[in-house]
Amino acid sequence: GVGQGAAVLLRLMGSIGDRARRPGREEKIVASVDQAGAYFLRLLDGQRTEQLYQLCVDAKGKVLSCRMLSQGQADMTVLSLRQVVENALLSGASGVFLGHNHPSGVALPSPSDNATTLSVFDALRTVGVELADHIIVADDDFVSLRHNGLLPERKGNGYGI
């Protein structure tokens, strides 16, 4: 009993919701852990499967691009280091923030999260791009792997970290 127009609208509702959750044009600077946390909290709000995003920024924290790297199951996702490096280079990024969600509701990093973060750090370093942070979000909370001591302290002035 649903017409063609209503069927199309129902099909698009997921995409419309995803787009509405994305930070708008007014959020062009992500230069701190708190700003990155807020960005990813909004972007990943309500997701039931684990999703991993790459946020590329210039030296002042201006957002150059934000791309979904992968979408997985309720408790895991897969990452391509090559894709991370390509995205950073194509956007002309000075820095990269990774962000993913834990649908379980607990934002604590797993051993796999830590290992992946270090692999990305090393891969980006080889091309002169810094991994600014890896943010894990769950419900209304986020954890910074840089603030947890996983990544070395930054040298320089960018990103306000």
Side-chain angles (χ1 to χ4, degrees):
V2 174
Q4 185 175 358
V8 169
L9 179 61
L10 288 172
R11 260 181 160 176
L12 294 175
M13 289 305 292
S15 296
I16 292 169
D18 289 345
R19 189 170 292 250
R21 276 193 298 277
R22 287 194 181 139
R25 293 185 182 266
E26 73 281 356
E27 294 182 329
K28 293 184 180 184
I29 301 293
V30 176
S32 71
V33 170
D34 288 336
Q35 288 173 330
Y39 187 97
F40 288 119
L41 278 169
R42 184 170 173 201
L43 182 66
L44 293 163
D45 183 43
Q47 297 302 312
R48 294 185 182 176
T49 59
E50 198 164 298
Q51 296 180 358
L52 175 65
Y53 281 86
Q54 176 180 1
L55 181 67
C56 295
V57 298
D58 69 9
K60 294 182 179 180
K62 180 181 175 187
V63 174
L64 302 172
S65 68
C66 182
R67 293 188 175 107
M68 181 190 287
L69 296 174
S70 66
Q71 181 171 2
Q73 306 301 315
D75 63 349
M76 68 163 285
T77 188
V78 179
L79 171 69
S80 163
L81 291 176
R82 178 182 174 140
Q83 185 180 15
V84 171
V85 171
E86 284 179 359
N87 289 344
L89 293 175
L90 288 172
S91 70
S94 295
V96 167
F97 289 90
L98 293 180
H100 82 276
N101 61 323
H102 281 179
S104 66
V106 179
L108 296 175
S110 69
S112 176
D113 292 333
N114 291 337
T116 298
T117 301
L118 292 173
S119 294
V120 170
F121 176 84
D122 289 338
L124 288 172
R125 184 174 54 181
T126 64
V127 295
V129 177
E130 181 169 5
L131 179 59
D133 208 339
H134 183 166
I135 304 291
I136 301 173
V137 302
D139 295 332
D140 293 328
D141 188 23
F142 72 89
V143 171
S144 157
L145 273 64
R146 181 171 296 281
H147 278 190
N148 273 4
L150 183 66
L151 297 172
E153 288 301 314
R154 292 198 67 254
K155 298 173 189 165
N157 303 344
Y159 325 124
I161 296 174

